Amino acid sequence: MIKLQRAQGASSLWKGIGSKFVVQGISMCSESFISEVTWFPQEVTKHSKPKQLVGHLALKSLTLLVSMPFFSASLIESVQSDIASEKPGVLDCVKEGFSRMLGWGMPQTRRLLPMWTLVIPTVLHGLLHYIISSLVQQLVSAIMNYAYKHRTSHLPANEPPPPKTMVEAYYPELFASFMGHLIADVAVYPLETVVYRLHIQGTRTIIDNMDFGTEVVPLDTRYEGLHDCFHNIKATEGRLGFYKGLGALIIQYTLHFIILKVTKAVFIRLSEDFGYKKQR
């Protein structure tokens, strides 16, 4: 990362961020629209009926399906080398997404996989990530709420529990979200590696060689689909081939954890200040 920054500048570490926000916007709008024209609920709780849960997962699947071509275009912008490619505009991923979906202007090579072959791995990856992160968030939240109730269980039954501090009110949700995304990202990382390789294959994208950070390399893979990609990575790169780039993910969540700790310290300080003023 340091070598890449020295060779191409700090902007090389932020490439594709604009298109990533565009794809998130498309996903949010698509989910809202589909939810309005169908019975699929956008939100579910632990009290929701099985039919509502199935509808909710169907909504997530359709949203992933709609945003998939634009995700593919955004992914290319994120990995292509700045020194070997023109810098794209903010909305170029929308144009490229439609081109990928309709087959207009894309390189017609045998290695370029049609979008319909990417539906199952992309939707499977998105659904697994969402399910795992949601379950972990619910579990962590339940554990932290139980711990809070245990701390206040010694109070008399007729005495109301004390009001929650800012840390007790807001930090558990932030920490649960952090743990949910961390465990989900690690759990589906091998599948994510496969999905990314399938999306980029055949697009004639020139990428930075992140093993050294000072040169570019062309993509030259010939995977035929999900199963073939899994088999080839395992046979040629070993099991560790599925976890290439995991170090960067660890750095990302380390920084996220530091921000969480700083946020908790701010909450504690604000709680102390407000409590002091209230006593005065």
Side-chain angles (χ1 to χ4, degrees):
M1 290 173 61
I2 294 174
K3 290 181 179 179
L4 180 66
Q5 187 272 333
R6 288 176 178 175
Q8 301 185 26
S11 62
S12 61
L13 301 178
W14 299 91
K15 58 188 175 184
I17 188 172
S19 62
K20 188 176 182 66
F21 287 135
V22 171
V23 173
Q24 288 181 346
I26 292 174
S27 298
M28 293 173 61
C29 293
S30 301
E31 184 173 327
S32 298
F33 176 77
I34 296 173
S35 180
E36 289 293 331
V37 298
T38 63
W39 58 269
F40 302 151
Q42 279 189 279
E43 301 291 340
V44 291
T45 66
K46 60 182 180 181
H47 304 295
S48 299
K49 297 179 180 179
K51 181 180 178 180
Q52 293 175 314
L53 294 176
V54 172
H56 181 68
L57 293 179
L59 174 63
K60 294 295 182 181
S61 300
L62 290 175
T63 301
L64 290 167
L65 181 62
V66 171
S67 61
M68 185 178 67
F70 311 102
F71 162 77
S72 183
S74 173
L75 181 61
I76 293 173
E77 292 185 11
S78 300
V79 301
Q80 69 183 3
S81 175
D82 282 346
I83 61 177
S85 310
E86 295 183 1
K87 290 189 176 182
V90 177
L91 297 179
D92 280 1
C93 73
V94 178
K95 180 183 69 175
E96 296 297 331
F98 279 113
S99 298
R100 183 71 188 272
M101 180 170 55
L102 301 174
W104 296 343
M106 296 299 295
Q108 299 302 314
T109 65
R110 292 183 178 181
R111 295 186 295 116
L112 182 67
L113 296 174
M115 290 302 294
W116 65 266
T117 63
L118 303 176
V119 170
I120 292 179
T122 304
V123 173
L124 179 63
H125 168 261
L127 275 184
L128 285 176
H129 188 281
Y130 175 74
I131 292 172
I132 294 172
S133 62
S134 298
L135 291 177
V136 173
Q137 286 183 47
Q138 292 292 332
L139 178 61
V140 174
S141 295
I143 292 174
M144 299 187 77
N145 287 331
Y146 174 80
Y148 170 75
K149 292 179 180 179
H150 179 72
R151 289 196 301 269
T152 58
S153 61
H154 64 281
L155 298 174
N158 58 349
E159 182 178 337
K164 290 185 177 181
T165 63
M166 293 188 67
V167 176
E168 294 169 336
Y170 301 109
Y171 184 75
E173 183 177 351
L174 295 175
F175 184 74
S177 177
F178 166 79
M179 289 300 299
H181 284 88
L182 170 60
I183 294 177
D185 279 344
V186 174
V188 302
Y189 197 88
L191 181 58
E192 182 177 283
T193 300
V194 172
V195 169
Y196 284 5
R197 292 194 184 191
L198 293 178
H199 273 276
I200 299 174
Q201 176 175 288
T203 57
R204 296 178 180 172
T205 303
I206 305 297
I207 65 172
D208 296 300
N209 186 347
M210 293 308 297
D211 290 334
F212 303 100
T214 55
E215 58 185 17
V216 296
V217 292
L219 288 172
D220 187 24
T221 56
R222 298 181 181 275
Y223 305 124
E224 297 180 359
L226 179 65
H227 180 268
D228 182 60
C229 186
F230 263 109
H231 176 75
N232 274 275
I233 293 176
K234 183 179 179 180
T236 59
E237 304 174 41
R239 296 183 184 276
L240 292 180
F242 294 104
Y243 292 94
K244 286 185 174 180
L246 185 64
L249 184 69
I250 294 174
I251 294 175
Q252 172 187 328
Y253 276 101
T254 300
L255 294 175
H256 192 169
F257 183 74
I258 293 173
I259 294 173
L260 268 181
K261 286 297 183 181
V262 172
T263 303
K264 184 178 181 180
V266 171
F267 283 165
I268 292 174
R269 183 58 184 269
L270 290 175
S271 298
E272 291 175 350
D273 289 345
F274 284 134
Y276 175 72
K277 291 178 181 179
K278 186 175 180 180
Q279 289 176 1
R280 294 186 63 184

